[in-house]
Amino acid sequence: MEAQMRIILFLMVIISSATEEVKNLISTEGGSITLPDPVKEKGYLSFKGTTIAAVNKGEVEIEEKIYINRLHWDKNTGFFTITGLQRNDSGIYYIDSKKGRTFTTSYNLIMYESVSTPAVKRLSVSAESCILLCSVEKAEETTLLWYKDKEILNQSSSALSLLLTVHKQDSNSSYSCVAANPADNKTLPVNITTSCSEQNNTDNSDDTNTRYYFVTGIIISIVLAVFVVLIAIITKKKCLNKTKTTTRQTQGRFGEHRHKC
């Protein structure tokens, strides 16, 4: 009878472990995460089947070298915190607090890149509207959003840029561009009065002026080169004509005479 009870308890442990919900945690590269299940007196923290830390009699021992100085245990709360997170830290962590439980608590850590701060550039402006472009340097798992006050006007996933047309009657509203992923977000407020001012031509004029001066410089260089070649040809031709005239005049008086240009 006792043996049967042990088998039943063992099966209950397996069933409990199999049906336990894995809780998701998210963080960004370089960030930190605290596993919200305490280990006060005795227990373990494992990752992908390997024990990385053990708590015994209120003291912790880090068992994996890569977690030294990165894995911290708070004696007061019993919480484990991992700092300096990297992409390869993603995966399932198991916590066994040895406190009358028949199964461990599981956490699935999902890692994301930190999003870059968006930049906004004006593409064009007219008396009726203004076109703005919000862009980021990298777009992996990043969503770009344009906000007017608290309303989402436009959004795009995994895109490097996102357009917005602001009409004159809406120019007094508050606008912002947001770059976000599930773990991080960066917001850039946009001053429409400044960004869409017709007197502010720095957005597109810089590129236009650069191209203008580049093309103008090439044209001037070509014209100067042609001019120098023409002068050389004309000078050479005049020199040859002068040489022929001088030679004819001197041959009759003094015999052969050579003149070099």
Side-chain angles (χ1 to χ4, degrees):
M1 185 69 177
E2 184 177 351
Q4 291 178 343
M5 288 297 297
R6 288 181 179 179
I7 293 174
I8 292 173
L9 289 174
F10 178 73
L11 291 174
M12 289 177 63
V13 169
I14 295 176
I15 294 172
S16 298
S17 299
T19 58
E20 179 195 1
E21 180 184 359
V22 178
K23 303 171 184 178
N24 287 331
L25 300 174
I26 59 175
S27 189
T28 59
E29 292 181 72
S32 63
I33 194 73
T34 297
L35 302 172
D37 194 58
V39 178
K40 288 290 187 73
E41 293 295 327
K42 185 175 182 179
Y44 304 92
L45 172 64
S46 60
F47 176 57
K48 295 181 179 179
T50 300
T51 300
I52 61 177
V55 176
N56 188 26
K57 296 181 180 180
E59 298 295 332
V60 67
E61 180 180 355
I62 309 300
E63 300 189 4
E64 291 292 321
K65 291 182 179 180
I66 62 172
Y67 289 98
I68 295 176
N69 299 325
R70 293 182 56 223
L71 180 60
H72 309 277
W73 178 71
D74 189 317
K75 189 172 184 178
N76 294 322
T77 63
F79 291 141
F80 282 104
T81 298
I82 306 172
T83 61
L85 289 171
Q86 305 168 8
R87 275 299 180 98
N88 56 11
D89 287 322
S90 61
I92 297 180
Y93 292 80
Y94 300 93
I95 294 179
D96 185 353
S97 64
K98 300 296 183 185
K99 193 176 180 181
R101 298 190 181 187
T102 57
F103 55 84
T104 59
T105 305
S106 304
Y107 295 96
N108 182 31
L109 176 59
I110 305 171
M111 295 295 302
Y112 292 90
E113 283 187 329
S114 296
V115 299
S116 56
T117 302
V120 171
K121 179 179 181 180
R122 190 192 70 189
L123 296 184
S124 66
V125 62
S126 67
E128 300 299 326
S129 65
C130 172
I131 299 178
L132 300 176
L133 180 71
C134 179
S135 60
V136 288
E137 295 179 356
K138 54 185 178 181
E140 181 185 1
E141 300 175 325
T142 298
T143 297
L144 282 175
L145 306 98
W146 270 110
Y147 277 87
K148 173 187 173 184
D149 297 326
K150 296 183 179 181
E151 175 190 1
I152 298 176
L153 295 180
N154 199 4
Q155 71 179 66
S156 179
S157 299
S158 300
L160 289 172
S161 59
L162 184 64
L163 288 171
L164 176 70
T165 299
V166 180
H167 298 283
K168 185 177 181 180
Q169 62 268 25
D170 299 323
S171 59
N172 291 328
S173 298
S174 175
Y175 290 85
S176 61
C177 181
V178 178
N181 64 27
D184 190 22
N185 69 81
K186 297 287 191 326
T187 300
L188 180 68
V190 179
N191 188 321
I192 297 300
T193 301
T194 301
S195 299
C196 291
S197 171
E198 293 187 29
Q199 296 178 351
N200 183 4
N201 296 319
T202 57
D203 290 333
N204 287 326
S205 60
D206 288 344
D207 292 338
T208 302
N209 289 340
T210 300
R211 290 193 296 269
Y212 171 78
Y213 289 125
F214 178 73
V215 174
T216 302
I218 292 177
I219 293 174
I220 291 175
S221 298
I222 293 173
V223 170
L224 287 175
V226 172
F227 181 75
V228 170
V229 172
L230 288 175
I231 292 295
I233 293 173
I234 293 171
T235 302
K236 185 67 175 177
K237 189 173 182 179
K238 287 183 177 181
C239 183
L240 290 174
N241 290 337
K242 184 177 180 181
T243 300
K244 290 178 181 180
T245 302
T246 305
T247 301
R248 285 196 299 268
Q249 291 175 351
T250 57
Q251 280 179 347
R253 298 178 183 178
F254 307 102
E256 185 178 356
H257 175 76
R258 295 182 180 179
H259 178 79
K260 296 182 178 179
C261 291

